[in-house]
Amino acid sequence: GMQLLYLRQTANELTGEHSAIMVRALPRQSKVDADAWLTAFVGDTKRRLLSLLSGPFRGMSIRLALAVLEGLNSRTVTSKEAEKELTKRDGVASRGKIQVDELSYYLTLHDLKRLELYGRNLCDHHLVTDLLPAVARLYFLSRLGDAFSLSSVQAALLCGIGVQSRKVDDL
């Protein structure tokens, strides 16, 4: 189907709408996955949008932000050859579930301990608020693995606090 590639950061003065560019790859006759270029662009769009949700799109409703992010989740690459082509095109070598050595770039052992304490209800959410942007980025970029999922309420909270940098009271 159609994939979002661009969302204008400024709204139309009259309507308040944001312009968008969406494309769909045409089918190819060959068996090689021809949509690697489109998946690379969609991945780039998702990374950029995640960063912009705390800036120009901070006022976007959480429901709309989640809908846009979920719409960017579809992956069209199916073969190993296409995966290599995608890595070559978008420059991201690490795909799928994050590995422990890469996780250390985002969170320290102390950070993980704080998350564990919060998960056991042994500390207040203020102790882990600074970690939420990194956790949200990993979650919304699907780096926590296919088996990891959040409820719609949890995803909304993570989007509002971790991505859009809102306060709990503003949700």
Side-chain angles (χ1 to χ4, degrees):
M2 300 294 284
Q3 296 284 334
L4 177 69
L5 291 188
Y6 174 77
L7 187 62
R8 185 180 171 123
Q9 295 178 32
T10 55
N12 182 301
E13 291 180 15
L14 278 172
T15 64
E17 298 170 336
H18 293 270
S19 300
I21 297 175
M22 299 184 75
V23 298
R24 178 178 63 88
L26 296 174
R28 288 245 174 125
Q29 300 299 326
S30 67
K31 294 182 181 180
V32 177
D33 195 341
D35 292 345
W37 67 270
L38 180 56
T39 305
F41 278 110
V42 170
D44 182 59
T45 300
K46 187 170 190 176
R47 285 187 295 276
R48 292 181 64 220
L49 184 62
L50 270 171
S51 297
L52 294 172
L53 278 170
S54 64
F57 298 123
R58 187 174 184 201
M60 182 183 286
S61 74
I62 294 173
R63 180 179 289 168
L64 179 59
L66 282 173
V68 172
L69 289 171
E70 287 174 6
L72 293 170
N73 271 343
S74 62
R75 296 220 22 203
T76 56
V77 175
T78 54
S79 68
K80 288 184 181 182
E81 183 178 315
E83 185 73 26
K84 286 181 187 177
E85 180 66 21
L86 178 58
T87 299
K88 185 174 87 173
R89 288 178 185 256
D90 76 357
V92 178
S94 56
R95 298 197 166 278
K97 190 173 180 180
I98 192 167
Q99 301 299 315
V100 174
D101 56 337
E102 187 183 357
L103 183 61
S104 66
Y105 292 126
Y106 298 98
L107 302 167
T108 66
L109 291 175
H110 180 68
D111 295 338
L112 294 172
K113 185 66 174 175
R114 287 191 288 154
L115 284 171
E116 181 184 358
L117 289 172
Y118 179 74
R120 293 181 182 184
N121 291 325
L122 297 175
C123 67
D124 189 42
H125 72 88
H126 294 100
L127 190 64
V128 296
T129 303
D130 62 309
L131 305 176
L132 293 181
V135 173
R137 188 163 190 84
L138 292 171
Y139 174 75
F140 288 111
L141 289 176
S142 304
R143 296 302 312 279
L144 299 178
D146 295 333
F148 187 87
S149 65
L150 297 176
S151 71
S152 57
V153 173
Q154 291 170 326
L157 288 169
L158 190 60
C159 181
I161 299 170
V163 177
Q164 292 184 305
S165 302
R166 295 183 183 190
K167 295 179 182 176
V168 175
D169 298 336
D170 297 337
L171 301 176

